[in-house]
Amino acid sequence: MKKGYIFILLTAIFYSTQEISGKMLAQKGAMDPFQVMMIVFLIGAIILLPMAVKDIKAKKLKLTGNDLGYLALCGILAVSISMSMLQFAVTYTKASTAAVLFCTNAVFTIPFAYFILKEKIKGITIVSIIVSLIGVVIIFNPAKVMEGIGGSKDLIGICFALVAAVVWSLYTVISKKRIEVYGGYVFNCISFFFGVIALLLLLIVTGRPIFSGITLNNILVLLYMGIFIKAVGYICYLGAIKETSAVTASTVFLIKPALATILAILILGESIEVNVVIGIVFIIIGSIINYSSNKKANDLKKVANTSSAES
């Protein structure tokens, strides 16, 4: 169990530096957001490839055209759209703001799960949605936006972060349909590659740079994002699930809003406004309510399964 919590801590640290690393690249200004995501996920996919091949052989998986189409859809949603939008978000707004808003993806997952997976929505879940959305509105600070204070760039970044969160939640729900069939390594490795291919085609068609702009100043950040955030971070997350449970491992996303904010202050020297702090508190409370509900449901399911096995 201790090993599992170490995995959770490592995952939280790596995931909390996603937006900070992206902001560091954005500040250098030499690379296009689509280009950044293509390179980062290419690195991550290559690192996951040996483990994916091992799982394919062990499970004797035979991927059909339907499987590849499904994995391509997941890759495009997660890599080409969601993560690229998140990189655009940190280009326009603070890394801490983007990180916190992206964590609301758990809230948007609930309605998608209702319509796509036909999962029931409980009253406590609706409460978690409302509390989290109040946090989002507070961060938006409508009064300030109406007055035109704070600059339009910040608002654009906030919108990009929310789009990234919504698309990621859609990807999360769709991925639930088959991820257990392939296994985490196979699913992520192949979907990463499809997302990279889609981004490469986009870069070629729009005439954007593919590898130009990579310098000694930014290559270390790119390698960190690809190796530690996309590959090692995910390996640690799978390790956390294996050593604890999926619900316990999800505490990573309760830790991230606060940890990402603290790291943004320490590493980037960002200043955090009062409304953002209040918004973070609401989002964390909403996430805790949702987590507690899921944990209770998971515990009841375990009890029911145990009773069924004993009888």
Side-chain angles (χ1 to χ4, degrees):
M1 187 65 76
K2 288 182 179 179
K3 189 177 179 182
Y5 288 115
I6 291 173
F7 278 134
I8 289 173
L9 179 59
L10 289 173
T11 305
I13 292 172
F14 291 138
Y15 282 7
S16 295
T17 56
Q18 162 74 42
E19 293 81 7
I20 295 169
S21 301
K23 186 67 175 182
M24 291 172 71
L25 290 174
Q27 288 175 337
K28 297 179 188 299
M31 301 187 72
D32 182 89
F34 289 122
Q35 177 193 21
V36 169
M37 287 300 107
M38 188 210 72
I39 294 170
V40 165
F41 276 96
L42 177 60
I43 295 170
I46 291 171
I47 293 173
L48 293 176
L49 185 58
M51 288 167 280
V53 171
K54 182 180 178 182
D55 277 3
I56 288 174
K57 291 179 178 178
K59 295 183 178 184
K60 296 181 180 179
L61 289 174
K62 293 182 179 180
L63 300 176
T64 64
N66 181 272
D67 291 317
L68 295 176
Y70 168 78
L71 291 168
L73 172 62
C74 290
I76 290 170
L77 286 173
V79 179
S80 310
I81 302 177
S82 181
M83 288 295 101
S84 294
M85 292 300 99
L86 187 59
Q87 183 60 28
F88 273 105
V90 298
T91 303
Y92 290 98
T93 192
K94 294 176 181 178
S96 53
T97 302
V100 171
L101 290 173
F102 185 73
C103 286
T104 60
N105 68 79
V107 173
F108 299 115
T109 297
I110 296 166
F112 281 128
Y114 175 77
F115 289 109
I116 298 174
L117 302 179
K118 307 303 179 184
E119 292 183 359
K120 293 181 180 179
I121 299 179
K122 295 172 287 187
I124 191 69
T125 303
I126 294 175
V127 172
S128 74
I129 292 175
I130 293 172
V131 172
S132 296
L133 289 179
I134 289 173
V136 172
V137 172
I138 292 172
I139 290 174
F140 252 112
N141 198 351
K144 194 172 182 179
V145 171
M146 293 297 291
E147 293 173 7
I149 303 173
S152 58
K153 283 187 65 176
D154 193 54
L155 180 59
I156 292 171
I158 289 173
C159 290
F160 271 126
L162 286 175
V163 170
V166 171
V167 176
W168 185 267
S169 66
L170 176 61
Y171 154 75
T172 300
V173 170
I174 292 176
S175 69
K176 285 183 179 181
K177 285 179 170 287
R178 300 190 198 175
I179 190 168
E180 290 184 2
V181 175
Y182 312 116
Y185 292 127
V186 174
F187 177 84
N188 280 276
C189 179
I190 297 178
S191 62
F192 280 10
F193 273 122
F194 274 118
V196 168
I197 291 170
L199 284 175
L200 177 61
L201 293 174
L202 176 64
L203 293 173
I204 293 172
V205 170
T206 58
R208 284 179 161 87
I210 297 174
F211 290 110
S212 61
I214 298 177
T215 65
L216 291 174
N217 289 328
N218 57 33
I219 192 168
L220 290 178
V221 180
L222 288 170
L223 288 172
Y224 172 79
M225 291 178 75
I227 296 171
F228 291 98
I229 298 176
K230 302 308 176 187
V232 177
Y234 184 71
I235 292 169
C236 288
Y237 186 55
L238 285 183
I241 293 174
K242 183 179 178 181
E243 295 292 329
T244 57
S245 69
V247 174
T248 302
S250 68
T251 54
V252 165
F253 303 103
L254 298 181
I255 299 170
K256 179 176 175 177
L259 183 57
T261 301
I262 293 169
L263 291 175
I265 294 171
L266 295 176
I267 297 173
L268 300 176
E270 289 188 352
S271 58
I272 308 299
E273 297 179 357
V274 175
N275 67 295
V276 175
V277 174
I278 297 172
I280 289 172
V281 171
F282 271 90
I283 289 171
I284 291 176
I285 292 173
S287 299
I288 290 173
I289 293 171
N290 189 40
Y291 167 78
S292 299
S293 175
N294 289 336
K295 189 175 186 303
K296 185 177 180 181
N298 191 58
D299 290 342
L300 289 173
K301 187 176 180 181
K302 283 182 179 179
V303 171
N305 290 339
T306 302
S307 300
S308 177
E310 289 175 350
S311 61

